[in-house]
Amino acid sequence: MTFHPPTSIACDGDLAELVGLRHKHFILNLKAGAKFETHRGIILHDDLIGKPWGTQVFSHMGSPFFLLQPSLSDLLIDIPRTTQILYPKDIGFILVNMGVGPGQKVMEAGTGSGSMTTALAYAVGDEGHVVSYEVKPDVQNLARKNLTRFGLDSRVDFKLRNIEEGFDETDADSFFLDVPNPYDYIKQVRAALKPGGFLCCLIPTFNQVEKTLYSLRQQNFAFVEVCEVLLRYYKAEPTRLRPTDRMVAHTGFLVFARRIEPSEDPRGLELSREVGEAVDEENA
């Protein structure tokens, strides 16, 4: 099974996307001899295999579809879920800000349905690795199935554990923490990160962000940033370009930080306070 293969034609085993009227889309694994059934008709997989991506195809009822390679965003939006997933607008920003790339060792806690796991596994490439911790067996099983469907499961080590006990790994390049009370686990995350490593927390409310900020300072994290990502689409009609009626607004606060090594040298105190490492005595 291949996600986004480096070929110009659809092959047996590829993930494909059929996009029909009103942008209704379906993601399927191409398999010789199989067939795709919808209320708009039946399409044989054999009629798709060997066709160039971007080709228009038709069901047995004559309904039109375009045969496309699904984007990472398409997969994340379409992913089977039992928990709230991250939106592509947040995932892309997280990957860029943490510098996630090929060959890295990346960790996460709170696997959920596996949307962020999928994005991390895609970003680290064949030479990288993702370690994902989850406490609920049924949730982890669904995430594992999703990663297997996308052909990315070999890049992920799934672990079932209460993260209060800490992590087996050290020297991770970056860590994504998506749990209800991240401030309780910053110490454990620090031990898993390499010096200078990146941390990102997804946090829903103000009071949770406040607690997390105090914990980050106490555990010697610095370069702390808090933000949210808002996304608004426009109607792509040149004669009546305007915003669409709805937008993807607040979906959570993103808190970024980096593990730094504390110093007792008084010459560095000013810089430590500037980057948010030094803890004020009144707030310690």
Side-chain angles (χ1 to χ4, degrees):
M1 186 184 307
T2 307
F3 166 47
H4 235 284
T7 61
S8 58
I9 63 171
C11 299
D12 187 12
D14 287 350
L15 272 174
E17 182 177 34
L18 290 174
V19 182
L21 296 171
R22 289 181 290 278
H23 291 188
K24 180 68 174 178
H25 70 277
F26 307 90
I27 294 177
L28 57 150
N29 301 110
L30 294 179
K31 184 179 180 181
K35 62 181 179 180
F36 169 72
E37 299 184 48
T38 174
H39 66 289
R40 297 191 183 277
I42 298 173
I43 298 177
L44 301 179
H45 286 214
D46 289 343
D47 292 337
L48 303 177
I49 295 171
K51 281 191 166 51
W53 298 112
T55 298
Q56 192 171 51
V57 297
F58 300 89
S59 72
H60 83 288
M61 296 170 54
S63 295
F65 294 87
F66 279 104
L67 173 64
L68 301 169
Q69 291 176 289
S71 68
L72 180 59
S73 177
D74 293 326
L75 296 186
L76 298 180
I77 292 297
D78 187 67
I79 195 170
R81 70 196 73 167
T82 57
T83 59
Q84 177 64 41
I85 64 166
L86 271 77
Y87 283 84
K89 71 178 181 70
D90 295 315
I91 289 177
F93 192 72
I94 292 168
L95 293 179
V96 172
N97 272 265
M98 292 204 304
V100 179
Q104 291 189 350
K105 179 170 73 173
V106 181
M107 296 179 63
E108 71 167 348
T111 310
S113 298
S115 60
M116 189 66 191
T117 321
T118 299
L120 292 172
Y122 179 70
V124 299
D126 289 328
E127 302 302 318
H129 198 68
V130 178
V131 182
S132 184
Y133 282 79
E134 173 58 53
V135 71
K136 299 178 181 177
D138 56 332
V139 172
Q140 186 187 75
N141 288 336
L142 176 59
R144 192 189 301 270
K145 289 179 181 178
N146 286 331
L147 270 291
T148 300
R149 179 192 178 201
F150 302 148
L152 297 171
D153 54 304
S154 63
R155 302 179 184 180
V156 182
D157 186 7
F158 291 96
K159 296 197 173 183
L160 192 66
R161 181 189 298 179
N162 185 332
I163 62 173
E164 185 178 1
E165 304 168 10
F167 305 99
D168 298 328
E169 297 75 21
T170 57
D171 292 321
D173 294 289
S174 57
F175 199 115
F176 177 66
L177 186 60
D178 183 11
V179 295
N181 50 331
Y183 39 84
D184 288 332
Y185 308 113
I186 301 301
K187 181 178 181 180
Q188 291 89 328
V189 170
R190 178 181 173 81
L193 276 173
K194 71 179 185 181
F198 294 87
L199 167 64
C200 176
C201 304
L202 177 68
I203 305 177
T205 67
F206 277 107
N207 61 312
Q208 290 169 304
V209 172
E210 181 181 22
K211 292 180 180 179
T212 302
L213 293 179
Y214 281 130
S215 183
L216 287 170
R217 289 198 170 195
Q218 291 164 357
Q219 296 301 325
N220 295 309
F221 280 84
F223 303 100
V224 180
E225 295 180 326
V226 182
C227 63
E228 60 178 343
V229 180
L230 311 178
L231 177 64
R232 182 168 69 175
Y233 283 98
Y234 285 73
K235 291 186 179 294
E237 294 293 339
T239 58
R240 50 189 179 93
L241 180 67
R242 68 174 181 83
T244 55
D245 297 328
R246 296 182 179 182
M247 68 177 292
V248 186
H250 177 78
T251 48
F253 296 103
L254 299 177
V255 178
F256 293 95
R258 300 187 71 169
R259 172 184 163 173
I260 54 91
E261 304 309 302
S263 170
E264 301 296 330
D265 194 321
R267 294 173 297 178
L269 182 60
E270 183 178 359
L271 177 59
S272 294
R273 292 190 182 280
E274 183 178 297
V275 301
E277 185 269 329
V279 181
D280 296 333
E281 292 184 3
E282 61 189 72
N283 293 326

